Amino acid sequence: MSKNPDQTLLNRIDALALSERNTRWREAMKASDWRIFAERERYTVKSWRETAGEDIELRRAKLVAEVLDNIEIKIHPFDEIVGRPTTGVIGCATSIDVNGDYMPAIWNDDGTVQATLDAAVQLDRESVEILRESAREFSGTSAQEMVYRAWEQVVGSWAVKAEAAKLKDPSLDSAIYGQSTSVLSWKKLLSVGLSGYIAECKTKIEAFRASGDTDVSRLYFWQAAIIALEAVVRHANRYADLAESMARETDDAEFKSRLTRIAGYCRRVPEYPARTFGEALQATVICNVAKMLENPIQNNSHWGRADQYLYELFESDLAAGVPLEQISSQLADVIGRWGTQTFVASSSQKESHQINFGINNIMVGGKDAQNNDTANELSYLILHTVGLLKLSSPTVCLRWNNDTPDWLMRKAIRTNVETRGGIPLFENDEVVVESYVRDGIPREEAANWHSLGCVYPALPTRAEHYGAEGVAAFNLAGLLHLTLHNGRDINGELTGLETGDPRGFDTFDELYEAFFAQHRFLSHRVFRLGAVARKIQPQYLRLPLLSVLGLEASLELGRDVLDAHPDYSLYGVSDRAIIDAADSLTAIKKLVYEDKTLTMPQLLTALDANFEGYDDVRALCLAAPKYGNADAYADGMVKAVSDRSAAIVHEYDNSPFRPFIIAREGLAWHYYGGLGVGALPDGRYALEPLDDGAASPMRGADVNGPTSVLLSAMASGFSDVSYASVLNQKFSASILTGEDSVDKLIAYTQTYMRSGGSHIQYNIVGSEELKAAKREPEEHTDLVVRIGGFSAYFVQLSSAIQNDVIYRSEFQI
């Protein structure tokens, strides 16, 4: 059980407002233009040319050092903690050295770059030329280009065609590599400082030289780690120098005092262990900025279990008399900047993410290795701060368990009412830990899991490869499209197996087995290509800073995370669109093979016409049983497809690495995936978004109320095979006004989780307000909604996703 909280402290936290400095930051952030900073590429090109011929690990370390030593830095007048990857309040660097020529717009004469599907950024001529020079330098030998060449040797043009048809994702220009989206080793980093890491590397080097070891790559790794770590320390000291200089020049007593404190922080951390809460926050920011500058497209600033590794410093600061208001203001500063860091997305990411803010994650609560709940007053402060900021990011995850205290649940629901768009989400501690144990991970290790991005569980002790090597998700609705078209995809390409014309299938079982033959063919081929990428990538790219700070085993082994080690790597995948595929299979089974209301030729003709002129056929499809209504017929199909899909994933031999695990998440993948699927037998039109979350019903299909949705989700058996399965629900904000309604939503959440539900999150906004926001976006710029697994500002979304959120079922409680 969690310890009893200091109720007086909780009351003080409830009374906190944003500080004047936090408010000034928020105003500056809202007024800031979205901007690309090209300066980083100037230093990557310079370093790469100077180190030609050296070992790749050392070259990459020197490249990072060149950037950290020279990139322009800035302290803003409202900063409590310092460190950003650019000088902008909002701004991003580019990743051409990592990713090759992934921004085709830089070759256009107008200098316009699409930041999202609907927003563009204008680059000045100097920036364009810097980026072009970098593209000339790094194109042709980037890791992603070399992997695509290898894939072509193995399967011809199949991989590119499968990605174009949205049958698999991500494409390699997402620049996701092992551990690149994960959490740094915050507990160790804050306790020993980078000086401790450097000393450990030096000891390893001395031992290597005294031994008979001939694997010189290990020596190069430790040398590279020292180069990168020392550069991070210098980067912190650059901020200290700047703060001291600014302090000398200002007449503002408060600003001078704050600058002096900042200088003291940066002289101390991250080089040495953090002694205070403020020093700890400063250390995390500097190290995260350095990580982002190593690979800016992966600007994840995951904090993991911050309420655990920061709690003792939080307590000691309060005991030493540090004002709670100062602690709160510093915390809001860090959470705010991490929630507004941007990146230049690849074309496929624009479709799957919709927005270009990093999907960063903070976790609160959960059990420890001794099975005790760990909720504390810092958990409460984090939730309160997030409620004050009302940002779309970072994602906040409450690790729910049977012992989660009522005071934390109540604060979480109130925070959700404040933020409105699924912040925080609720993820089932019991389900995730048992899933790891089921797959052979020791319980003590599993207890320390944390979430990445939306909801994906990861372990701090192992490099997470979810999304790496081009393997994150495959599209079961797309596989059904292949089945209904004899292996041909949405673009008419033969990317699947020729399993036969369904018009000739005499039984539903023939269609069902053809569907899973397509599944096995595509998923296993994707896994095989991932294994090929795993061999190729480390030849052309290394990430020494991510390696040494992101995985403690890397330092011990003397091995970059891109050179994956079987004992310290985990691989995962999301088998998406199960509900769309299952509802469609249900409709086919009932309408064609059982009731014989339609023939297969009639159905396929209507689908190929996108139901145009076939309203009667679509009406039958829409009326067929649907998941989300506690209908045993429909829910049984979902469970059958879920179980069979998981079995096919687990069949794949991923030796010498662990088998793939399954986590069914969100993103805005349903928009991306829908672009690869024609009209479906569940009544969905071609190219429309699919269902919004892995366990969510299709929008508008759940007509029997919210409890029926939970009953269907529990009947699906998702928690038996998947670590997490996103379930979105929408409630009107008008009903959550008093403690009675909060009590009801707490009870509703608890009931689902205690029945084995793995995840749930709530949009607390009505459809009419959403429609008004679409009509008058300038009046609703702060409206946050939950999309799939992450939240976003409603007015920044594509029209298709706005409609998707609007037309989801709206419930009362």
Side-chain angles (χ1 to χ4, degrees), residues 48 56-57 60 97-99 141-143 175 177 294-295 536-544 560 562-563:
W48 204 245
I56 187 172
E57 195 86 52
R60 287 296 307 177
D97 58 301
V98 173
N99 214 17
T141 57
S142 69
Y177 297 96
E294 186 175 44
N295 179 12
I536 300 297
Q537 285 175 343
Q539 298 177 40
Y540 298 94
L541 180 67
R542 301 294 174 90
L543 298 171
D560 195 289
L562 268 67
D563 185 11

Side-chain angles (χ1 to χ4, degrees), residues 253-443:
E254 187 279 329
F255 191 32
K256 183 185 292 285
S257 174
R258 186 155 35 96
L259 287 166
T260 301
R261 184 169 63 236
I262 287 169
Y265 286 168
C266 293
R267 291 282 181 227
R268 172 76 192 183
V269 294
E271 183 173 9
Y272 301 109
R275 301 166 300 182
T276 68
F277 189 76
E279 286 182 353
L281 293 180
Q282 184 62 76
T284 64
V285 169
I286 290 291
C287 290
N288 246 323
V289 165
K291 169 187 173 286
M292 284 189 271
L293 287 172
E294 186 175 44
N295 179 12
I297 199 172
Q298 291 305 323
N299 68 342
N300 305 82
S301 302
H302 295 308
W303 237 6
R305 303 189 73 182
D307 62 344
Q308 304 306 302
Y309 59 77
L310 292 175
Y311 184 62
E312 288 186 10
L313 293 173
F314 170 71
E315 277 193 312
S316 65
D317 269 21
L318 288 175
V322 178
L324 177 61
E325 291 76 11
Q326 177 181 311
I327 293 171
S328 170
S329 187
Q330 290 177 335
L331 183 65
D333 181 312
V334 175
I335 292 176
R337 82 178 59 199
W338 283 4
T340 52
Q341 291 299 329
T342 58
F343 65 100
V344 183
S346 62
S347 56
S348 63
Q349 281 182 301
K350 290 184 180 74
E351 294 171 340
S352 64
H353 287 61
Q354 292 280 311
I355 49 90
N356 62 319
F357 290 110
I359 305 176
N360 301 311
N361 195 299
I362 302 174
M363 177 167 282
V364 296
K367 290 189 173 182
D368 60 19
Q370 289 72 47
N371 206 37
N372 299 310
D373 182 77
T374 62
N376 58 48
E377 296 89 347
L378 182 55
S379 317
Y380 197 89
L381 178 59
I382 290 170
L383 289 174
H384 184 77
T385 303
V386 167
L388 292 175
L389 288 167
K390 295 182 176 63
L391 300 173
S392 67
S393 182
T395 293
V396 181
C397 172
L398 188 145
R399 259 179 65 162
W400 181 93
N401 62 80
N402 283 305
D403 296 326
T404 297
D406 179 73
W407 57 266
L408 188 66
M409 281 295 295
R410 191 167 298 277
K411 187 63 171 178
I413 295 296
R414 286 172 177 159
T415 301
N416 197 166
V417 172
E418 290 293 325
T419 60
R420 310 186 71 185
I423 301 174
L425 61 85
F426 301 87
E427 199 158 359
N428 195 327
D429 216 8
E430 322 275 352
V431 169
V432 174
V433 171
E434 290 305 319
S435 296
Y436 275 123
V437 172
R438 178 189 67 218
D439 289 340
I441 300 294
R443 186 175 297 275

Side-chain angles (χ1 to χ4, degrees), residues 217-235:
S217 65
R218 303 176 70 213
L219 175 65
Y220 291 154
F221 175 81
W222 291 314
Q223 291 174 333
I226 291 172
I227 292 169
L229 293 169
E230 289 179 341
V232 178
V233 171
R234 292 194 300 273
H235 194 67

Side-chain angles (χ1 to χ4, degrees), residues 504-623:
F505 292 164
D506 294 326
T507 66
F508 176 75
D509 285 347
E510 288 181 75
L511 177 75
Y512 192 72
E513 291 304 320
F515 171 67
F516 285 110
Q518 300 285 1
H519 185 315
R520 183 175 290 102
F521 170 75
L522 182 130
S523 61
H524 286 206
R525 177 170 277 198
V526 168
F527 296 154
R528 180 191 178 198
L529 293 179
V532 171
R534 197 181 305 156
K535 298 279 190 183
I536 300 297
Q537 285 175 343
Q539 298 177 40
Y540 298 94
L541 180 67
R542 301 294 174 90
L543 298 171
L545 189 60
L546 171 69
S547 300
V548 72
L549 294 182
L551 185 67
E552 292 181 31
S554 284
L555 197 155
E556 180 63 31
L557 295 167
R559 185 164 173 158
D560 195 289
V561 288
L562 268 67
D563 185 11
H565 192 289
D567 294 343
Y568 299 101
S569 300
L570 289 178
Y571 293 83
V573 72
S574 186
D575 46 351
R576 290 299 309 268
I578 286 176
I579 304 305
D580 306 87
D583 278 353
S584 294
L585 288 168
T586 294
I588 294 171
K589 183 177 182 181
K590 183 163 184 61
L591 296 176
V592 175
Y593 291 101
E594 290 184 355
D595 296 352
K596 301 187 186 304
T597 309
L598 293 172
T599 66
M600 186 62 81
Q602 287 175 320
L603 176 59
L604 291 177
T605 299
L607 295 179
D608 288 343
N610 197 23
F611 294 115
E612 188 173 344
Y614 295 91
D615 291 346
D616 55 336
V617 175
R618 183 167 187 258
L620 291 170
C621 291
L622 289 171

